[in-house]
Amino acid sequence: MARLRRLVLHRLLSYYRLLSEWTSQKTVKTVTSSQIGEALDIDPTQVRKDLAAIGATGMGRVGFEVCEVCRAIRIVLGFDHGYESVLIGTGHLGGALLAYPGFAKYGLQIVAAFDSDQRKIGRRIGELTVKPMSDLKPFIRRRKIRLAILTTPAEVSQKVTDRLVSAGVSAIWNFAPTSLAAPPGVLVRNEHIARGLSEIGHHLHS
Amino acid sequence: MARLRRLVLHRLLSYYRLLSEWTSQKTVKTVTSSQIGEALDIDPTQVRKDLAAIGATGMGRVGFEVCEVCRAIRIVLGFDHGYESVLIGTGHLGGALLAYPGFAKYGLQIVAAFDSDQRKIGRRIGELTVKPMSDLKPFIRRRKIRLAILTTPAEVSQKVTDRLVSAGVSAIWNFAPTSLAAPPGVLVRNEHIARGLSEIGHHLHS
DNA sequence: TAGATTGTTAATCGATTAACAATC
DNA sequence: TAGATTGTTAATCGATTAACAATC
């Protein structure tokens, strides 16, 4: 399957959330592109194209099978796949992510937490014991970890990134307020807090 | 000034970050659209258009004054304005946001924290004391709070939103994994964690 | 069958990029 | 002046929307 654009992935996620919500409330077997489009304020043609792009086929006069659509989306977004990840930086935000119970639903499991602070190493957070940075590379290699979650201070995030890349991860989920340099094969997804604030600030100001 | 699109705001923020970084490293008085464009992989024409849109004018053969550009961006994104906000839900994520020191740079100040959990009310977090939900509306009214940060569980977020709207806030920064219904005048900015995960999951899967 | 919905091609719209005269 | 850069108009590109025959 061709790589999908960010925008499409985003829409797929919103379809998924909507359908999950609907099916949890009442038994819904099929759904039409117009129903989805109306609920999310998206053109029904767009919905049909998105679903066609991920291989979900509808039925004339009936619509799409909800189960089939959800399954197709889960496959494309990798929710069924299941992947282990490591987290680096056990500050407030790192702790919040470690405590978040909702990740399993998306196939994500955090299997180790690392920190450079001597006082934090060995401490238990939930089910994990904080490991020293010297264990990072061997751990990633041994467990074939592909995703790293970065919640370190901005000053060290690039250095940590370099270590992660050399250890062989293929994606970095970055919560540090910096842009990271990484080779083309490695996906860097930035969750810069300031991005939301700029939109809010602009709204409040004008 | 006409309301700018999300995409433009995002680019403005990246210009701002780039210029801040450059000026912190060495004295840079002027910058050309090509220099910015090259650093961020954006077409220089785009950069010029964006800067023109916020009223920053360049000089032929010289480029743009860095100070002027930064000032213009700060004004548009509301960073200089300064606005007080309240936070609702003092769980892990709420605590992480309360502890984050970088907000002041963007003009944001969290002046009160609220929770419905009796055990948390009265507890001190940093400089704040957690207040009961019954204080929410009067507090917002009295202090003329315009922004609320929502870090509650998803189940209650819509109810809290309704209270916030009726109390008169004009923007909600939502970290709960739900879509919120709010009247047109109220900006809702969603920071759904799953959005990043869907991109990562897709990348790792394919 | 009749009618609603899909799948797909064509038309529209907006955003990005190219071109170039005006400017310092 | 000569040359680099801006500001802006025109051209391109991609994404969204409209139209409609095919399908169940």
Side-chain angles (χ1 to χ4, degrees):
Chain A
M1 182 169 315
R3 164 146 274 122
L4 298 166
R5 293 175 186 282
R6 241 178 169 156
L7 212 57
V8 179
L9 296 179
H10 181 209
R11 282 197 303 262
L12 291 175
L13 184 65
S14 59
Y15 302 160
Y16 187 71
R17 266 206 291 257
L18 181 74
L19 293 177
S20 303
E21 199 184 313
W22 280 354
T23 48
S24 74
Q25 284 169 7
K26 54 183 184 287
T27 319
V28 186
K29 276 203 141 32
T30 60
V31 66
T32 67
S33 58
S34 300
Q35 289 172 322
I36 295 177
E38 201 159 321
L40 299 172
D41 199 25
I42 296 173
D43 192 285
T45 306
Q46 185 74 77
V47 176
R48 292 203 291 276
K49 280 200 169 160
D50 289 342
L51 295 184
I54 59 169
T57 53
M59 301 165 284
R61 215 174 77 86
V62 178
F64 295 81
E65 267 202 51
V66 176
C67 294
E68 195 198 325
V69 171
C70 285
R71 191 165 44 237
I73 295 177
R74 276 206 308 277
I75 290 172
V76 170
L77 299 186
F79 293 167
D80 278 346
H81 206 63
Y83 40 93
E84 299 185 328
S85 70
V86 295
L87 180 143
I88 299 105
T90 58
H92 281 99
L93 182 56
L97 293 180
L98 285 170
Y100 184 66
F103 286 147
K105 190 164 47 168
Y106 303 109
L108 175 66
Q109 204 190 340
I110 304 176
V111 294
F114 295 84
D115 208 300
S116 62
D117 187 337
Q118 287 297 331
R119 289 164 301 175
K120 287 180 180 168
I121 294 168
R123 193 179 285 183
R124 286 196 72 78
I125 303 181
E127 313 221 308
L128 303 177
T129 305
V130 178
K131 295 181 195 297
M133 290 300 283
S134 53
D135 287 2
L136 182 62
K137 196 163 177 173
F139 187 91
I140 289 174
R141 290 254 166 104
R142 192 171 65 247
R143 297 279 289 261
K144 294 188 171 48
I145 301 291
R146 301 176 63 204
L147 170 65
I149 304 173
L150 207 55
T151 48
T152 56
E155 305 85 68
V156 301
S157 57
Q158 183 60 56
K159 263 190 188 148
V160 175
T161 298
D162 296 341
R163 294 176 70 167
L164 289 168
V165 167
S166 84
V169 303
S170 45
I172 294 172
W173 199 9
N174 176 38
F175 290 83
T178 327
S179 289
L180 300 176
V186 177
L187 177 82
V188 175
R189 162 82 197 189
N190 294 307
E191 301 288 347
H192 296 172
I193 210 77
R195 192 163 164 178
L197 262 186
S198 67
E199 194 185 330
I200 290 168
H202 176 62
H203 174 82
L204 290 179
H205 173 64
S206 52
Chain B
M1 181 169 317
R3 165 145 273 122
L4 298 165
R5 292 174 187 284
R6 238 181 171 154
L7 211 56
V8 180
L9 296 179
H10 181 210
R11 282 198 302 261
L12 292 175
L13 183 65
S14 60
Y15 302 159
Y16 187 72
R17 265 206 292 256
L18 182 73
L19 294 177
S20 303
E21 198 184 315
W22 279 355
T23 48
S24 73
Q25 285 169 6
K26 54 182 182 290
T27 319
V28 185
K29 276 204 143 29
T30 59
V31 67
T32 67
S33 58
S34 300
Q35 289 172 321
I36 295 177
E38 200 159 322
L40 299 172
D41 198 26
I42 295 172
D43 191 285
T45 306
Q46 184 74 78
V47 176
R48 292 202 292 277
K49 281 202 169 162
D50 288 341
L51 295 184
I54 60 170
T57 53
M59 301 166 284
R61 216 176 75 87
V62 178
F64 295 82
E65 268 202 51
V66 175
C67 294
E68 194 198 325
V69 171
C70 284
R71 190 166 45 239
I73 295 177
R74 275 206 308 277
I75 290 172
V76 170
L77 299 187
F79 294 166
D80 277 346
H81 206 63
Y83 40 92
E84 299 183 330
S85 69
V86 296
L87 180 143
I88 299 105
T90 58
H92 281 99
L93 183 56
L97 293 179
L98 286 170
Y100 184 65
F103 286 145
K105 189 164 50 168
Y106 303 109
L108 174 66
Q109 205 190 340
I110 304 175
V111 294
F114 296 84
D115 207 301
S116 61
D117 187 337
Q118 287 297 332
R119 289 164 300 175
K120 288 179 178 168
I121 293 166
R123 194 178 285 182
R124 286 197 71 79
I125 302 181
E127 315 221 308
L128 303 177
T129 304
V130 178
K131 294 183 196 295
M133 290 300 284
S134 52
D135 286 2
L136 182 62
K137 197 165 178 174
F139 187 91
I140 288 174
R141 290 254 165 104
R142 192 171 64 247
R143 297 280 288 261
K144 294 188 172 47
I145 302 292
R146 301 175 63 206
L147 171 64
I149 304 172
L150 206 56
T151 47
T152 56
E155 304 86 67
V156 300
S157 57
Q158 183 59 55
K159 264 190 187 148
V160 175
T161 297
D162 296 342
R163 293 176 70 165
L164 290 167
V165 167
S166 85
V169 303
S170 45
I172 294 173
W173 199 9
N174 175 37
F175 289 84
T178 326
S179 290
L180 300 176
V186 177
L187 176 81
V188 175
R189 162 82 195 190
N190 294 307
E191 300 289 348
H192 296 171
I193 209 79
R195 193 164 163 177
L197 262 187
S198 68
E199 195 185 330
I200 291 167
H202 177 63
H203 174 82
L204 290 179
H205 173 66
S206 53

